[in-house]
Amino acid sequence: MSDFFAHETAVIDEGCQIGAGSKIWHFSHIMPGCILGEKCNIGQNVVVSPKVVLGNNVKVQNNVSIYEGVTCDDDVFLGPSMVFTNVINPRSAVNRKNEYLKTHVGKGASIGANATIVCGHNIGQYAFIGAGAVVTKEVPDYALVVGNPARHMGWMSEFGQRLHFNNEGIAVCEESGEQYKLENNKVSKI
């Protein structure tokens, strides 16, 4: 008996690791060599490719493909139909499996519905990628980015609230009351 749930239509290949309390829903495919942490939720029609690593409590919404080269830390949210790429210049007639670029998504980051993350660009912890954004460069910790190409529009708290910094570079999350400091274009929690 396994300590995770998989819907009867899900395909779970041998050689993958799935943490306790994880749930895998309809028509999803978990491929060999990938690692899913504890309490992950894998929505419908999701593909998790070989060598992908998902931390604990990662939420993957419907219709997401997570390709080889992607790693996600704990508490990452991947919105519906968002996509990762793993090759910069794909061609059907050219095999580039040895050219996969890595993409790392930091703890607590959220990627909105229909966003595209171009491979080789890391997403910082607690970053917030708006729906439909196309990420073509590194995203700093706590950054809010939107648009195509994605542009830095502000900063977000760990609770997903927009941060408004005063003249001293201090902001307070409206939801949690936690304080943040902006210094040298970097945000840290106080």
Side-chain angles (χ1 to χ4, degrees):
M1 208 117 186
S2 63
D3 51 1
F4 65 88
F5 168 81
H7 188 269
E8 63 185 20
T9 61
V11 176
I12 312 293
D13 290 341
E14 287 187 39
C16 59
Q17 297 177 38
I18 302 171
S22 290
K23 295 178 182 174
I24 301 159
W25 294 100
H26 307 69
F27 314 112
S28 289
H29 187 183
I30 310 302
M31 300 179 81
C34 68
I35 300 171
L36 279 62
E38 295 180 358
K39 298 180 182 173
C40 290
N41 190 61
I42 308 298
Q44 295 183 60
N45 195 39
V46 170
V47 174
V48 182
S49 294
K51 301 179 186 172
V52 165
V53 177
L54 303 181
N56 297 323
N57 196 41
V58 173
K59 305 293 190 245
V60 182
Q61 302 300 298
N62 298 346
N63 306 311
V64 174
S65 296
I66 310 172
Y67 295 117
E68 187 172 330
V70 173
T71 57
C72 296
D73 288 344
D74 295 347
D75 304 320
V76 166
F77 177 86
L78 304 178
S81 302
M82 66 77 50
V83 67
F84 292 99
T85 68
N86 61 3
V87 174
I88 289 289
N89 57 341
R91 292 287 194 203
S92 178
V94 179
N95 184 336
R96 293 204 162 99
K97 288 185 178 181
N98 294 329
E99 298 177 26
Y100 290 166
L101 296 179
K102 297 187 183 318
T103 300
H104 179 79
V105 182
K107 177 180 175 63
S110 293
I111 301 176
N114 293 305
T116 299
I117 310 301
V118 177
C119 57
H121 301 102
N122 297 320
I123 310 299
Q125 66 179 356
Y126 301 105
F128 198 99
I129 313 302
V134 179
V135 173
T136 59
K137 58 186 175 183
E138 300 283 313
V139 177
D141 295 349
Y142 300 100
L144 167 64
V145 300
V146 299
N148 180 5
R151 291 177 184 84
H152 184 205
M153 300 299 288
W155 305 98
M156 300 291 276
S157 75
E158 292 181 11
F159 275 69
Q161 298 296 324
R162 189 89 181 254
L163 293 172
H164 303 282
F165 290 91
N166 64 20
N167 292 337
E168 287 79 42
I170 304 295
V172 177
C173 173
E174 293 176 7
E175 187 172 353
S176 70
E178 295 173 332
Q179 293 187 339
Y180 295 82
K181 174 103 175 132
L182 174 61
E183 193 169 39
N184 299 322
N185 210 30
K186 292 184 179 180
V187 170
S188 57
K189 190 163 78 167
I190 300 175

